[in-house]
Amino acid sequence: MPDFRDDRPPPSWLGDVADGVDAWTQRAATPATPAVEDDAPRPSRTGVGRGAGSRSGGRSGGRPGGRSGSRRGRSTPPPEDPVAAGPPADPEAVARKILLDQLTGQARSRKQLADKLEAKDVPAELAERLLDRFEEVGLVDDEAFARAWIASRQPGKGLARRALAQELRRKGVADEVAREALDEIDPADEEEAARALVRKKLRSLSRVDDATATRRLVGMLARKGYGGGLAFAVVREELAQAGRDDDVLPEDPDLD
């Protein structure tokens, strides 16, 4: 029959129930692992199994080599490959393309093209040489440009010679070149354009008195470049045809 006797020495609390209970409760309260300091970080619910800062630290980029750091690394462009880039562009080819792009669908004066080349940092000597070449082949022609400008602005906007001359000057067209093109304007066409402007403006002046209507109509024609004599004559006749008083104008105004 087995011997179940225990050779171990009896515990110190043997025979006293109160001492035994105290010894058992002290042993149960003793943790198997070291106690956590009160000020030590505690893992959150989302950090269970990963540590307190494993999730948030990787997203915020505070940890070296984190997710945000890797994204920045991927966005950095690689160094340019000089072989793949090829030889540098030919300055003359670049300048020629600038001119052709500017002339596509619209005529331009030589001064306009020269200003564009200067804005693109094309050397002055190269720009001058290319513009001369473009003039030789007829791609740059200030006389043709002036005629085309007058043909588009005189009937459409009703501009007179004086206003057209100012516009051409701003475009860089020489005065003598502009004058030759302006001389081709038929005076009858210019007067008819003035009458069309007055008839159109009269529709909005039905509620003003004749003196006010006259002042506004003459002022409008003056802004369009018409001389005082022609402006007053056209306004007087158009007011009369509209059944309005034509005695508010002097017979021979000297406003040119």
Side-chain angles (χ1 to χ4, degrees):
M1 181 174 180
D3 186 4
F4 291 100
R5 291 177 300 176
D6 193 351
D7 295 334
R8 292 177 297 178
S12 60
W13 48 266
L14 185 63
D16 189 340
V17 176
D19 293 341
V21 172
D22 291 341
W24 182 83
T25 54
Q26 291 175 3
R27 182 179 298 175
T30 303
T33 57
V36 179
E37 297 292 338
D38 291 338
D39 58 351
R42 292 179 173 81
S44 61
R45 292 183 179 179
T46 58
V48 174
R50 295 192 179 187
S54 61
R55 184 183 298 269
S56 61
R59 292 185 177 179
S60 63
R63 186 175 61 188
R67 186 177 299 176
S68 62
S70 63
R71 288 180 179 176
R72 286 195 297 270
R74 287 196 301 268
S75 63
T76 303
E80 183 179 358
D81 185 357
V83 177
D90 180 19
E92 182 170 343
V94 173
R96 190 184 301 273
K97 184 178 185 305
I98 293 173
L99 291 176
L100 292 175
D101 289 344
Q102 289 294 302
L103 292 170
T104 300
Q106 181 179 357
R108 298 184 187 274
S109 68
R110 176 172 177 135
K111 180 64 166 57
Q112 288 177 300
L113 296 173
D115 291 343
K116 188 65 175 181
L117 292 176
E118 183 179 2
K120 294 293 185 178
D121 296 327
V122 176
E125 182 180 354
L126 174 59
E128 189 74 14
R129 177 161 54 84
L130 286 178
L131 289 172
D132 288 344
R133 177 57 180 163
F134 273 53
E135 278 190 344
E136 291 176 3
V137 298
L139 292 176
V140 177
D141 187 344
D142 278 3
E143 294 182 5
F145 170 79
R147 293 189 182 93
W149 184 263
I150 292 171
S152 64
R153 301 286 287 176
Q154 200 267 337
K157 297 295 183 178
L159 299 182
R161 291 165 51 96
R162 185 180 304 174
L164 291 169
Q166 293 175 354
E167 289 190 348
L168 290 173
R169 187 177 297 113
R170 286 194 294 268
K171 298 295 181 181
V173 178
D175 289 342
E176 58 273 12
V177 175
R179 190 178 303 110
E180 292 179 2
L182 292 169
D183 287 342
E184 298 177 3
I185 297 177
D186 189 342
D189 293 339
E190 189 174 46
E191 180 178 339
E192 183 56 35
R195 293 185 182 277
L197 290 171
V198 171
R199 295 189 195 110
K200 182 178 180 180
K201 185 67 175 179
L202 268 175
R203 301 169 190 167
S204 63
L205 299 176
S206 58
R207 297 186 179 183
V208 302
D209 59 85
D210 293 341
T212 301
T214 300
R215 184 173 62 254
R216 293 181 182 179
L217 291 170
V218 172
M220 175 196 66
L221 292 180
R223 289 189 297 273
K224 295 287 187 177
Y226 293 92
L230 176 62
F232 272 100
V234 169
V235 170
R236 180 188 298 112
E237 294 175 7
E238 292 301 322
L239 284 175
Q241 291 183 8
R244 302 185 65 161
D245 188 5
D246 61 346
D247 294 333
V248 296
L249 298 176
E251 287 296 329
D252 188 17
D254 186 13
L255 298 179
D256 289 328

